[in-house]
Amino acid sequence: MSRISLKRLAQMKEQGERIAVLTAYDASFACLLEQAGVDVLLVGDSLGMVVQGQGSTLPVSVDEMVYHSSAVARGSKRAMVVADLPFMSYANPEQALHSAARLMKEGGAQMVKLEGGAEVVDTVARLAGMGVPVCAHLGLLPQSVHKLGGYRVQGREAGDAERILGDAKALQQAGADMLVLECVPRELAARITEALAIPVIGIGAGAATDGQVLVLYDMLGITPGKRPSFSHDFLAEHGSIVAALEAYVTAVRDGRFPTEQHGFD
Ligand code: KIV
């Protein structure tokens, strides 16, 4: 069975079929997630927080991303595997190429994700030029948490919103194949989704995006502490992990998740 391709994701956007994405960090969950119908397994550097117990994603290394990505790739057959380039592993285009090559060759990823706007456009162009599928990430950038002064909604001011929209267009132009939009007002997410030809995957970005992603442990209610307001505990509602995963995929596909309460004005 072949994996979901970029062409299939583009077709899903075109046909208005919503894309279900979840983070995955190991082989067993990767297998369960794709059996539940998840289209894209994101090996997020959120693993630094939910698996390693770090205070942020910053300490995660390329070696650790390779380790988790290869486990997810081994545990799955159909879903696309996207792996995060961790903090400071893509500080210039050549370093990004080297790190991406490791995630793809050793980690078995089909796409890499990196955070940032105008400042990473050249890097995205370099990766795309060398045949590396790229997922961009705008809005709340967890790797920039210290610069942002916390995990806050981004793009509420008109100037910020225009900058994020401009960055999204520039990243697509540079060759990005997909965009994750994190914690931005619903209206801005809707404008960006409408403006781009590539699939836009939201998290805390309202219901108008082409697909949704959540951190697996948040949607199972097992992340210690307070759950983000844009997430939902599907395990508490559905009683088993398999039922929770299936309910998430169905709710995303049917447009029942996220609801109004999972977005921001
Ligand atoms: O690292 C991660 O899990 C992510 C998602 C929150 C989109 O980037």
Side-chain angles (χ1 to χ4, degrees), residues 23 25 42 44-46 84 113 115 137 180 182 203 213 215:
T23 65
Y25 313 110
L42 171 62
D45 59 359
S46 52
D84 265 342
K113 178 164 82 58
E115 299 181 8
H137 183 150
V180 165
E182 180 165 356
I203 173 164
V213 58
V215 169

Side-chain angles (χ1 to χ4, degrees), residues 42-256:
L42 171 62
V43 189
D45 59 359
S46 52
L47 68 85
M49 298 172 84
V50 300
V51 177
Q52 299 176 340
Q54 308 277 8
S56 75
T57 61
L58 274 64
V60 177
S61 68
V62 174
D63 281 347
E64 289 163 347
M65 291 307 302
V66 165
Y67 172 87
H68 287 279
S69 183
S70 62
V72 168
R74 280 192 297 274
S76 59
K77 291 190 177 72
R78 183 197 64 89
M80 177 181 282
V81 177
V82 180
D84 265 342
L85 284 164
F87 182 60
M88 286 299 157
S89 70
Y90 53 100
N92 61 60
E94 296 316 302
Q95 189 196 15
L97 261 190
H98 179 74
S99 305
R102 289 206 56 205
L103 292 180
M104 295 180 79
K105 287 161 77 126
E106 300 169 51
Q110 285 87 56
M111 186 188 279
V112 300
K113 178 164 82 58
L114 50 73
E115 299 181 8
E119 68 281 9
V120 295
V121 161
D122 288 350
T123 298
V124 170
R126 180 78 171 121
L127 289 169
M130 290 302 285
V132 177
V134 179
C135 178
H137 183 150
L138 288 172
L140 172 56
L141 308 179
Q143 292 176 11
S144 303
V145 61
H146 299 306
K147 187 80 177 163
L148 297 174
Y151 297 99
R152 300 169 202 285
V153 178
Q154 302 293 308
R156 278 189 164 137
E157 302 296 324
D160 287 342
E162 291 315 310
R163 176 184 47 79
I164 295 172
L165 175 61
D167 282 351
K169 290 178 180 169
L171 289 162
Q172 171 176 273
Q173 179 71 26
D177 301 283
M178 192 156 81
L179 170 69
V180 165
L181 261 188
E182 180 165 356
C183 291
V184 298
R186 330 178 161 78
E187 199 190 308
L188 174 59
R191 282 177 69 201
I192 294 173
T193 305
E194 174 75 27
L196 297 195
I198 58 174
V200 177
I201 309 298
I203 173 164
T209 54
D210 303 305
Q212 291 294 318
V213 58
L214 285 180
V215 169
L216 175 66
Y217 293 12
D218 290 348
M219 63 77 74
L220 293 177
I222 59 173
T223 308
K226 197 168 169 278
R227 193 181 59 243
S229 64
F230 53 76
S231 191
H232 177 75
D233 186 346
F234 284 81
L235 180 57
E237 196 186 344
H238 294 277
S240 80
I241 289 176
V242 168
L245 297 175
E246 287 173 355
Y248 170 76
V249 171
T250 309
V252 169
R253 295 238 195 278
D254 296 351
R256 285 181 291 105

